[in-house]
Amino acid sequence: MDLVIRDVDVIDGSGGDSYRADVAVDGGRIAAIVKEGAAAGCQRPTARRVLDAEGLALSPGFIDMHAHSDLALLRDPEHTAKAAQGVTLEVLGQDGLSYAPVDDRTLAEVRRAITGWNGDGSDIDFDWRTVGEYLDRLDRGIAVNAAYLIPQGTVRMYAVGWDDRPATESELNRMRQLVAEGMEQGAVGMSSGLTYTPGMYAKDAELAELCKVVARYDGYYCPHHRSYGAGALQAYEEMVALTRDAGCALHLAHATMNFGVNKGRAPDLLALLDGALADGSDITLDTYPYTPGCTTLVAMLPSWAAEGGPEALLARLKDDETAEGIRHHLEVVGSDGCHGVPIEWDTIEISGVSDPGLASCVGRTIQQSADMRGEAPWVTARRLLIDDRLGSTILQHVGHEENVRTIMRHRVHTGGSDGILQGFKPHPRAYGTFPQYLGKYVREEGVLSLEECVAHLTSRPAARLRLPDRGLIHEGYVADLVLFDPTTVAAGSTYEAPRTLPVGIPHVLIDGKFVIEDGKRTTALAGRSIRRAP
């Protein structure tokens, strides 16, 4: 054998009780599990390397169901932000915007649109255009495994452009074709960002047609739906009904109930989901264990302002009369980009800028920066949007702890970081989501048992991704494994120091290879694309 992990407490991902065992790894797979007290004659496995794991727990590798590492995996071979957390698989292509499938025009536009999420990509060789070519690029070697969702907003950008109108029949056929090709090339489903342009311009009938294509390939639909604020429950109902009618599995992205209008309303969401599950719908969801959200400042604006693309939006911001209309929608009406809730500038903290010359804004709310200048918040926000060419990221402090706790207990819940790695001051969830679950919500707060929590982070997402040999510690399964200390594991990242690595996770293996060993990143690039299983 290559490796024996000796005297370890196995938390196998099923949700069942842990047990003491020796676990042997050979050829990248779990070769043998010999439980403590096994019958006489069952010899303890031997190997070229024996790791004494007394006091440690062994679990399957954690699966990040909502990641924004689409370019980070290519530019940063170490990728310790995720590897050090025990993440062995990330699901990319989220919120309807990513880099495949594209043509040259669409690639340039999407790079501009999500600079705040992933950087402008000037350091990346975009030598792909299709989903399959992007997955092939990942297969050259990355820090952790990655699966991919076809981004519906990018598909619409490709086939329709940035117009707020229904797709023509030929455009809809082109979108169906792009989705089918992406699924055939290995995508596991399709995502949407229905508060982001241009994907939000699609009506339900258009989305349903694309979901029908996804369903033919046994994939799932992962929407960032139309509101997490005013009308949030109706937005969830819309997605449940849409996918039920299309016959498509549904995975709700970062399923939160935010803003003051939704304080204490998590049980209403879960009652809706329980009813749909009882009726036979196939539904899962993911959350991150924090209250603030994270996105781009430009995402707060009303969708009409972005019609025509980023340059058209910048022109509108520079026009005083049009900019006043944008302000009115933001501050008085409640824009669709801000989830139908009038914006509260004291909740909008700048977390990153594309132009280093604007770094003094980072770590302050728009309200604080405006007060320092003696001007109205919209004046500050408008200037920043223009000067940073729409590249600023934000933390939006609008969540509720009781909602976070209630939703994470649900039986279809999985973990997703929604981690944006760009910016001077990123959200700590990018570096801390998984140890935050294990440390704060298991050991300190007792919201979940350790066995339950591990199941949420491993076997449940593996089942949603329809992975036949991952997510559990079983003989024959791929050796994507995490060794952690249940008594000390914790997120090191904070809002003040968000890039601090976790503690209590000494070893992480992918495909039987150590990517974290004795708490340090190795040189192994053991990750590959994980493609849809036929």
Side-chain angles (χ1 to χ4, degrees):
M1 304 275 185
D2 295 329
L3 170 70
V4 169
I5 303 169
R6 186 83 78 199
D7 294 322
V8 71
D9 292 322
V10 176
I11 305 171
D12 66 7
S14 69
D17 292 342
S18 62
Y19 56 87
R20 179 68 65 92
D22 293 347
V23 178
V25 173
D26 195 51
R29 292 188 176 265
I30 299 169
I33 302 171
V34 179
K35 294 184 179 181
E36 184 179 60
C42 185
Q43 294 184 344
R44 301 186 78 175
T46 59
R48 285 181 287 277
R49 177 176 178 183
V50 176
L51 178 62
D52 182 3
E54 182 72 34
L56 297 179
L58 178 71
S59 82
F62 304 138
I63 297 176
D64 188 342
M65 286 296 287
H66 193 103
H68 288 284
S69 303
D70 307 50
L71 299 185
L73 278 167
L74 301 178
R75 69 162 56 96
D76 177 16
E78 291 194 0
H79 200 48
T80 50
K82 294 301 179 66
Q85 293 184 60
V87 172
T88 59
L89 169 59
E90 299 183 273
V91 184
L92 314 177
Q94 299 287 350
D95 294 330
L97 291 167
S98 190
Y99 306 93
V102 292
D103 57 10
D104 290 349
R105 171 190 62 81
T106 308
L107 176 61
E109 291 176 352
V110 77
R111 285 176 60 183
R112 181 70 180 281
I114 53 175
T115 292
W117 292 356
N118 298 307
D120 64 9
S122 57
D123 55 340
I124 301 294
D125 178 11
F126 288 90
D127 59 352
W128 69 84
R129 294 295 181 270
T130 69
V131 170
E133 290 169 350
Y134 176 66
L135 297 178
D136 289 344
R137 174 69 178 275
L138 298 180
D139 281 340
R140 298 180 197 173
I142 48 180
V144 304
N145 296 313
Y148 190 72
L149 295 166
I150 301 162
Q152 170 262 331
T154 300
V155 167
R156 195 174 212 273
M157 197 186 305
Y158 193 145
V160 181
W162 290 81
D163 296 340
D164 184 1
R165 61 171 175 81
T168 66
E169 187 60 29
S170 63
E171 289 168 341
L172 183 55
N173 284 335
R174 180 61 174 139
M175 287 190 281
R176 289 189 187 104
Q177 179 186 15
L178 289 168
V179 173
E181 290 173 352
M183 294 300 295
E184 289 170 359
Q185 292 163 8
V188 295
M190 180 180 75
S191 75
S192 283
L194 299 179
T195 63
Y196 299 128
T197 55
M200 68 190 302
Y201 297 146
K203 304 302 182 186
D204 284 2
E206 178 179 313
L207 296 172
E209 288 301 308
L210 302 184
C211 282
K212 289 175 183 176
V213 177
V214 173
R216 288 206 305 267
Y217 292 92
D218 206 23
Y220 68 92
Y221 180 44
C222 180
H224 165 129
H225 52 273
R226 298 191 193 274
S227 176
Y228 291 84
L233 202 61
Q234 291 77 14
Y236 282 112
E237 290 172 343
E238 175 191 7
M239 295 297 101
V240 169
L242 186 155
T243 50
R244 179 192 61 224
D245 295 344
C248 186
L250 173 64
H251 181 84
L252 295 165
H254 36 60
T256 58
M257 294 287 283
N258 286 340
F259 301 90
V261 295
N262 290 315
K263 183 177 176 62
R265 295 196 67 196
D268 297 340
L269 168 60
L270 300 185
L272 166 67
L273 300 183
D274 285 337
L277 289 163
D279 289 339
S281 294
D282 182 0
I283 301 174
T284 51
L285 59 86
D286 66 67
T287 70
Y288 46 84
Y290 298 89
T291 51
C294 178
T295 186
T296 55
L297 181 59
V298 67
M300 298 291 100
L301 305 187
S303 59
W304 60 261
E307 187 174 5
E311 290 301 325
L313 172 55
L314 281 168
R316 292 184 180 106
L317 285 167
K318 292 174 183 177
D319 178 77
D320 290 343
E321 183 176 351
T322 309
E324 173 57 21
I326 295 172
R327 183 206 65 79
H328 181 76
H329 268 81
L330 273 171
E331 296 185 346
V332 180
V333 177
S335 75
D336 46 7
C338 195
H339 307 276
V341 177
I343 198 163
E344 298 174 315
W345 293 112
D346 60 350
T347 70
I348 306 297
E349 177 186 354
I350 301 302
S351 60
V353 290
S354 295
D355 182 352
L358 300 169
S360 62
C361 299
V362 174
R364 297 193 181 104
T365 67
I366 294 291
Q367 185 69 59
Q368 289 170 334
S369 290
D371 290 345
M372 291 176 64
R373 290 174 171 270
E375 61 190 17
W378 168 241
V379 175
T380 300
R382 179 187 176 193
R383 181 190 302 110
L384 182 58
L385 285 161
I386 294 170
D387 290 352
D388 206 27
R389 295 189 60 79
L390 313 179
S392 305
T393 54
I394 63 170
L395 301 183
Q396 191 172 20
H397 296 271
V398 293
H400 303 287
E401 179 67 19
E402 66 270 34
N403 285 349
V404 171
R405 291 167 181 262
T406 300
I407 293 170
M408 75 169 63
R409 293 188 182 102
H410 197 269
R411 65 188 186 281
V412 300
H413 169 266
T414 67
S417 71
D418 197 11
I420 294 174
L421 298 166
Q422 285 293 115
F424 295 100
K425 192 173 179 284
H427 196 302
R429 68 193 185 193
Y431 282 73
T433 287
F434 295 87
Q436 179 84 338
Y437 271 118
L438 297 170
K440 178 177 180 178
Y441 288 99
V442 172
R443 184 181 64 249
E444 296 176 7
E445 305 290 343
V447 176
L448 295 166
S449 73
L450 186 56
E451 290 84 358
E452 287 175 323
C453 186
V454 168
H456 287 227
L457 307 181
T458 59
S459 64
R460 288 186 188 176
R464 164 51 70 219
L465 296 168
R466 307 199 190 285
L467 303 178
D469 56 1
R470 297 173 194 266
L472 292 166
I473 295 181
H474 280 181
E475 291 181 359
Y477 273 49
V478 175
D480 291 351
L481 302 169
V482 182
L483 281 151
F484 64 92
D485 184 344
T487 67
T488 63
V489 62
S493 59
T494 63
Y495 293 102
E496 293 72 29
R499 298 186 188 275
T500 307
L501 296 179
V503 297
I505 305 178
H507 304 291
V508 181
L509 294 88
I510 295 178
D511 196 31
K513 304 176 183 67
F514 283 90
V515 296
I516 298 291
E517 187 171 13
D518 295 323
K520 297 179 181 178
R521 180 72 172 93
T522 71
T523 59
L525 294 176
R528 297 293 185 270
S529 69
I530 303 299
R531 309 193 187 208
R532 181 188 63 86

